[in-house]
Amino acid sequence: MRIVLVGAVEGSRVALAALVSSERPPVLVITLPPTAADRHSDFADLSSMGRKSGISFFHTTNVNSAETLAKIASIGPDVILVVGWSQICGRPLRELASIGTIGFHPAALPRLRGRGVIPWTILRAEQTTGSTLFWLDDGVDSGPILLQRVFDVADNETARSLYEKHLLNIREMVPQAVRMVESGNAPRIPQDDEKASYCARRRPEDGLIDWRLPAADILRFIRAVGDPYPGAFTHSGSERIYIDAADLFPNPDRYIGLPGQIQTVSATGFLVMCGDGNCVDVSAWRPETSRLRMHSHLRPGSSLEAWPK
């Protein structure tokens, strides 16, 4: 079976490795050039792996361009597998595959279609989620389901830990799905659109921390938008500070202050007051050389910027 893989992120690299390990390597990989790496915070250069396996590569920033379509058409693929590509795959692309085009989505479709799904899963305090391989159609993550794994979301889930769970599923599910297609037994289970929900795109600037929120919400926010994504940030004066790890301070009556005010500073971290009177204990931040002072205020923007109305 002739497979074309489309992707440019860590999940794409895992899918490629899984196909090679299962002795079903793609005949062509469509990916971003390294010069476009800033399109994805989790960008992965697939070229080195492909060169070792003798796989052909085609770099593009537009999977629907005439040049890309011509390259794929020259292969005559049975299946196009899309894992980690942000553009919608148009019908002319999908129809180049004689059997069909399969996409991966990090949610239990039909719920949480769209963008920024891993952060939204944590921000919404979802109890379960899933990894889904599905047949692409004209809609957004709306095509029939081929294979899906549903699993629990941990109470302390981070973007990275959830991402790794999806990577494990990609590693196992992609070869399984290919075998199902080869055998002619690959399902096409229609999604129930009445149960669908849609996630909006998230941008790096959406990582701004609002210290007026309860501490539990702020901690969830920090876990949701961190690695492999740009991260949660605040400002000390004009300096942007990224907060990578924090915990709830166990004694809510110890400190009295204003939301965003630093209560203590030590060699290992600092405490910040939140909107509900609890503090978060920050233990990892960037840059580590930031000059943080007790009782100073962390703000939405520069030191001259007021809290938004």
Side-chain angles (χ1 to χ4, degrees), residues 74-92:
S74 70
I75 298 297
D78 300 301
V79 168
I80 299 173
L81 178 62
V82 183
V83 180
W85 192 265
S86 60
Q87 293 172 324
I88 291 176
C89 297
R91 182 175 292 185

Side-chain angles (χ1 to χ4, degrees), residues 139-163:
V140 176
D141 303 322
S142 57
I145 292 172
L146 191 166
L147 187 62
Q148 184 176 89
R149 286 187 180 181
V150 176
F151 57 92
D152 292 335
V153 180
D155 292 338
N156 62 344
E157 202 81 72
T158 66
R160 171 50 68 181
S161 66
L162 185 52
Y163 194 96

Side-chain angles (χ1 to χ4, degrees), residues 127-190:
Q127 299 299 302
T128 61
T129 188
S131 300
T132 305
L133 289 169
F134 66 105
W135 301 94
L136 297 186
D137 63 8
D138 289 331
V140 176
D141 303 322
S142 57
I145 292 172
L146 191 166
L147 187 62
Q148 184 176 89
R149 286 187 180 181
V150 176
F151 57 92
D152 292 335
V153 180
D155 292 338
N156 62 344
E157 202 81 72
T158 66
R160 171 50 68 181
S161 66
L162 185 52
Y163 194 96
E164 291 293 334
K165 291 177 181 179
H166 286 297
L167 292 183
L168 176 60
N169 284 341
I170 289 172
R171 184 177 297 111
E172 297 174 351
M173 291 171 65
V174 164
Q176 181 182 355
V178 169
R179 291 192 295 269
M180 294 168 75
V181 173
E182 287 177 333
S183 68
N185 295 319
R188 295 177 184 258
I189 304 169

